[in-house]
């Protein structure tokens, strides 16, 4: 029953060299035995963690131990056969699995310090999809210094962006978070630390070396926001004026509302955006003169895309979006069909 466990490490903010690695890349065991997976570390660390990853699944948090106090934090519903132990003199942390079973033969991660990867069971990922290779980023949080109920989840499951544009991936969290992290994971690879922000000081720590083009921002005043179409499909007779409508909530002070169009096999195409207040309207270059945008601020917060003299060629996919990003969530798509 082989188990493998690559380390996940980094460097500390104090510039002291830190590392963590297993003395063995693979451990063989007989079913029913007690198996000990160990990692050696150096430098000054705050805590040490163990994670498990089944094939095709995201890393699953198991246990964490504080080096100084040896205080242990366990995952909810942790298998009772698993325990963690730190040997401070040897700078070694163990994961023990008693009564080992064939199902335990998976990938294990040892992690030190603040680079905590802790996806909750209901946590999903934000996917930035461009014309190139998909990039997957995970929202993670550190509960090591709080017993308050916490959760984190992305505002949108998918964010579509045109190559070269600025794209914003957002997660909403609740509870008292010590740190907030962004990681990315390429297919078949382990999660890679990108950025961390301290909610209390707004101090940002970046990967070493930093990943170009990435930044993190904390918006504590952000209110709940959503946008969705009133109807998934609108039928119309050719030559009619067609109105596509989306209802929205939140978005802060005077949010902007967008409409995009997407032809099969093509990327989303910007059409129009307007401020909720109507203070400005921005149109795509060479926008079809038949198209206009209108906000009904008092009428349950609704934004319309009007297409006059509808043609069969208008029967494509439309996106409504609440600033600042374009959403690829199927709940915000319009599939429209026009009939003669």
């Amino acid at each position: 029953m082989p188990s493998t466990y690559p380390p996940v490490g980094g460097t500390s903010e104090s510039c002291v060299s830190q590392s963590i690695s297993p003395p063995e890349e693979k451990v063989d065991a007989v079913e029913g035995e007690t198996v000990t997976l160990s990692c050696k570390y150096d430098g000054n660390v705050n805590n040490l963690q163990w994670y498990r990853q089944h094939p095709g699944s995201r890393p699953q948090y198991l246990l964490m131990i504080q080096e100084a106090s040896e205080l242990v934090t366990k995952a909810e519903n942790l298998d009772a056969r698993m325990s963690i132990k730190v040997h401070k003199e040897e700078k070694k942390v163990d994961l023990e699995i008693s009564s080992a079973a064939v199902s335990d033969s998976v990938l294990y991660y040892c992690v030190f310090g603040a680079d905590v990867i802790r996806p909750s069971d209901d946590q999903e990922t934000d996917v930035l999809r461009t014309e190139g290779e998909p990039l997957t980023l995970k929202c993670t949080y550190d509960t090591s210094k709080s017993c308050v109920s916490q959760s984190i989840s992305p505002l949108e499951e998918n964010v579509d962006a045109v190559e070269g544009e600025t794209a914003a991936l957002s997660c909403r969290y609740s509870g008292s978070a010590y740190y907030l992290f962004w990681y990315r994971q390429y297919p078949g690879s382990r999660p890679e630390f990108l950025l961390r922000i301290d909610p209390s000081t707004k101090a940002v720590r970046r990967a070493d070396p930093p990943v170009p083009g990435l930044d993190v921002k904390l918006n504590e005043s952000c209110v709940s926001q959503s946008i969705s179409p009133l109807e998934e499909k609108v039928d119309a007779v050719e030559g009619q004026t067609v109105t596509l409508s989306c209802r929205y909530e939140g978005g802060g002070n005077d949010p902007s509302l967008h409409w995009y169009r997407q032809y099969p096999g093509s990327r989303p195409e910007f059409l129009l955006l307007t401020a909720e207040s109507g203070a400005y309207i921005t149109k795509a270059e060479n926008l079809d003169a038949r198209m206009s945008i209108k906000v009904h601020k008092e009428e349950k917060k609704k934004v319309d895309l009007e297409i006059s003299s509808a043609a069969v060629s208008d029967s494509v996919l439309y996106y409504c979006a609440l600033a600042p990003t374009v959403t690829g969530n199927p709940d915000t798509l319009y599939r429209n069909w026009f009939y003669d």
Side-chain angles (χ1 to χ4, degrees):
M1 187 196 73
S3 297
T4 57
Y5 48 109
V8 177
T11 57
S12 73
E13 293 174 321
S14 62
C15 299
V16 177
S17 176
Q18 290 182 311
S19 66
I20 188 166
S21 60
E24 303 168 280
E25 291 190 358
K26 186 173 74 168
V27 172
D28 296 323
V30 176
E31 193 168 7
E33 280 186 350
T34 294
V35 181
T36 301
L37 308 181
S38 299
C39 279
K40 297 278 273 183
Y41 64 94
D42 57 37
N44 296 318
V45 301
N46 177 265
N47 53 64
L48 299 134
Q49 308 100 27
W50 280 98
Y51 294 76
R52 172 177 62 190
Q53 186 172 24
H54 292 279
S57 299
R58 60 179 178 251
Q60 175 191 3
Y61 166 70
L62 299 173
L63 289 150
M64 177 177 70
I65 189 167
Q66 302 287 334
E67 187 196 40
S69 64
E70 298 187 23
L71 176 68
V72 173
T73 305
K74 300 179 181 180
E76 191 175 352
N77 302 319
L78 178 72
D79 190 324
R81 298 177 302 120
M82 294 184 173
S83 61
I84 189 171
K85 187 176 182 181
V86 65
H87 307 270
K88 286 183 277 190
E89 295 77 13
E90 301 173 58
K91 293 278 188 179
K92 183 166 72 87
V93 61
D94 296 338
L95 173 67
E96 283 196 357
I97 308 171
S98 61
S99 304
V102 174
S103 59
D104 295 321
S105 183
V106 293
L107 190 64
Y108 292 85
Y109 292 78
C110 46
V111 183
F112 68 78
D115 292 345
V116 182
I117 311 165
R118 187 170 305 173
S120 60
D121 289 340
D122 60 352
Q123 192 172 312
E124 297 296 336
T125 61
D126 283 351
V127 181
L128 172 62
R129 297 180 302 182
T130 67
E131 293 182 336
E133 185 71 28
L135 173 65
T136 303
L137 290 95
K138 295 182 180 293
C139 304
T140 67
Y141 63 96
D142 179 357
T143 59
S144 61
K145 297 198 175 180
S146 175
C147 296
V148 180
S149 175
Q150 293 180 309
S151 66
I152 189 166
S153 59
L155 298 188
E156 296 127 351
E157 290 186 3
N158 300 319
V159 172
D160 293 332
V162 177
E163 194 166 6
E165 282 188 349
T166 296
L169 310 181
S170 301
C171 282
R172 177 162 289 114
Y173 70 96
S174 61
S176 177
Y178 183 46
Y179 289 124
L180 295 153
F181 301 79
W182 280 100
Y183 289 78
R184 73 179 171 192
Q185 185 174 22
Y186 289 101
S189 301
R190 63 176 182 243
E192 173 192 357
F193 169 71
L194 299 174
L195 295 156
R196 186 196 76 187
I197 188 167
D198 183 334
S200 60
T201 66
K202 309 299 188 297
V204 174
R205 175 185 168 189
R206 303 175 187 277
D208 184 15
V211 179
L214 297 184
D215 200 7
V216 62
K217 184 179 179 183
L218 188 66
N219 184 0
E220 295 175 308
S221 63
C222 182
V223 293
S224 175
Q225 62 181 37
S226 65
I227 188 167
S228 59
L230 298 188
E231 302 169 275
E232 290 188 1
K233 188 172 75 168
V234 171
D235 297 328
V237 176
E238 193 169 9
Q240 282 186 343
T241 293
V242 181
T243 301
L244 311 182
S245 299
C246 280
R247 180 148 288 133
Y248 65 96
E249 293 179 4
N253 182 33
D254 200 19
S256 60
L257 298 136
H258 309 237
W259 280 99
Y260 290 76
R261 173 176 62 189
Q262 186 173 23
Y263 289 99
S266 300
R267 63 189 182 211
E269 172 194 357
F270 169 70
L271 299 173
L272 290 148
L273 74 82
T274 181
E276 183 187 50
S277 64
Y280 59 85
I281 292 176
T282 303
K283 301 179 181 182
E285 192 175 353
N286 302 320
L287 177 73
D288 190 323
R290 298 177 300 122
M291 295 184 173
S292 61
I293 191 171
K294 186 177 182 182
V295 177
H296 305 270
K297 192 167 51 171
E298 308 305 327
E299 189 185 333
K300 296 183 178 178
K301 290 186 173 277
K302 186 164 71 83
V303 60
D304 296 339
L305 173 67
E306 283 196 355
I307 307 172
S308 62
S309 304
V312 174
S313 58
D314 295 320
S315 182
V316 293
L317 193 62
Y318 293 86
Y319 292 73
C320 48
L322 187 58
T325 57
V326 184
T327 176
N329 188 327
D331 290 341
T332 63
L333 303 182
Y334 254 114
R335 193 174 296 279
N336 295 280
W337 302 96
F338 299 91
Y339 297 96
D340 292 328

